[in-house]
Amino acid sequence: MTISALQAERAKYQPKLPDSLKSSVKLVEGDKTQSVADQETIKDLFPNTYGMPIITFEACIEKIKYPAVNVGVILSGGQAPGGHNVIAGIFDGIKNLNQESKLYGFLGGPIGLVNHSYKELTAEIIDEYRNTGGFDIIGSGRTKLEETDQFDEGVKILHKLNINALIIIGGDDSNTNACVLAEYYAAKKTGIQVIGCPKTIDGDLKNEMIETSFGFDTATKVYSELIGNIQRDANSGKKYWHFIKLMGRSASHIGLECALQTQSNITLISEEVAAKEQTLSEIVDYMAGIVAKRAANDENFGVALIPEGLVEFVPEMKILISELNELLAEGSAIEKEFNMMRKSLRLDWLATHLSEKSAAVFQSLPSGIATQLTLDRDPHGNVQVSLIDTEELLGEMVKTKLSEMREAGIFNGKFGTQYHFFGYEGRCAAPSNFDADYCYSLGYNASFLIVEGKTGYMSSIRNLTAPAREWVAGGVPITMMMNMERRNGHMKPVIQKALVDLDGEPFKYLMANREKWANKTSFVYPGPIQYWGPTEVCDQPTKTITLERAK
Ligand code: FBP
């Protein structure tokens, strides 16, 4: 395989570990825990794994001899920078504890466990992937591990390979499933432990004990570099407004972090839109107002950051989407008629079946977007909001608003648009030093949780704004992060998703600077991720975690 010069050099990087993990460890148990909400229900659902204490590992001078362990690992969901380093950390961890230990990777995500598709990860394989982006070492997938049949299939292969423990690297849903699996395997006395690991670029798997999910740091640095480059282009040519949609599913953490790094002119935060119950036209008025104000200063350019999930948070769009989901449910009479109808007639016809309010919203949308709302559906019949070109929707609506303002004599500028969607560009980037170190530590730490016989825990590395040697390693019971939520019509125990906290410091910082950044060009150009050089350039964590954790 031909590799780049950067990859060859980067392969030599030895990720930093917390001091407490550098030799043997002493396990310190904290207080017993309880779930964030619905304690009685969660306790009943997880009798074997509920209420366990938080664990901290302290350095131990005495060299402890650990037995060999066989470990299985699964990568679940969307790619996030650093996944390969988690696996390298697990490998080095279990081998350092006992050279006879083995690591197996299940292929293509959770389905690999069910289909018994796996490979042993040897030193040679691991070395090829150290400090690289991507999940290609074993592949990832979105199959959900939810059914007991799947769990039982898993036991067969885990027992066949003498695997003592399974590590599931995933987001909130995958770790919820890891918790259910841990409980099931404990109840069935299979002897198989299950450990979770917090992954997602979206940054929405976090809480008091899990300070951030891995991948968020690198992905936001990549997007911020690109946004910075665009800002410099905008400030040079002075003729375009760039509307940039950013991945992140429901949460706006990515957009918020990028705004803090680049000081863009407009940053929409879905959680704020929901809290203020802002309508689409209020959002458009706000954006057009900024465009007009800048135009009055002869600045007919700018950058607007738009979170991927925005439309789900705009009240009238939310209602419209749910009405469309109902109407166009697969196999329904309306859906059949709709699909047989001439394309040019479809939208008007569909509007007659919506409530009066939703019909008005639907008909006010540019026809391309209205069509997307009717076409882009997932296998469950839901509109796939991430596929909606929200950036174009807003751009077109702002354009219309500005024409009205021009007619009213309150806008006399120019408005040229460019549209972008950043997501896949950052998910497989070579991990920043922060993610390389954090991921390696998460994996290495998981190996201690395993040899200590723990199950139903998430690998946890805390104190992340301090130098890596001072990071605090340990484990958090996954049940502690759970509450009951309605999913697919049923109440289910799930890890509580962390959306942007409107009382949190990162959002407050945005609020304090938003107007200034909107009206006076204050762009910051972060530049590309640096792997070598001064620590303030190459070892900085995100602004989000820095503000959240500031004492
Ligand atoms: P995870 O939640 O699985 O980490 O996925 C993150 C994400 O990148 C979202 O931001 C995005 O909406 C989604 O994955 C896209 O998924 P896909 O890769 O299946 O298109």
Side-chain angles (χ1 to χ4, degrees), residues 249-266:
R249 227 181 264 284
S250 311
S252 308
H253 297 293
I254 291 183
L256 177 54
E257 172 64 22
C258 291
L260 301 181
Q261 286 195 36
T262 62
Q263 304 189 174
S264 301
N265 309 102
I266 297 177

Side-chain angles (χ1 to χ4, degrees), residues 120-134:
E120 187 182 342
L121 296 171
T122 58
E124 204 185 356
I125 299 174
I126 295 283
D127 285 348
E128 219 180 283
Y129 289 91
R130 288 180 191 273
N131 307 310
T132 59

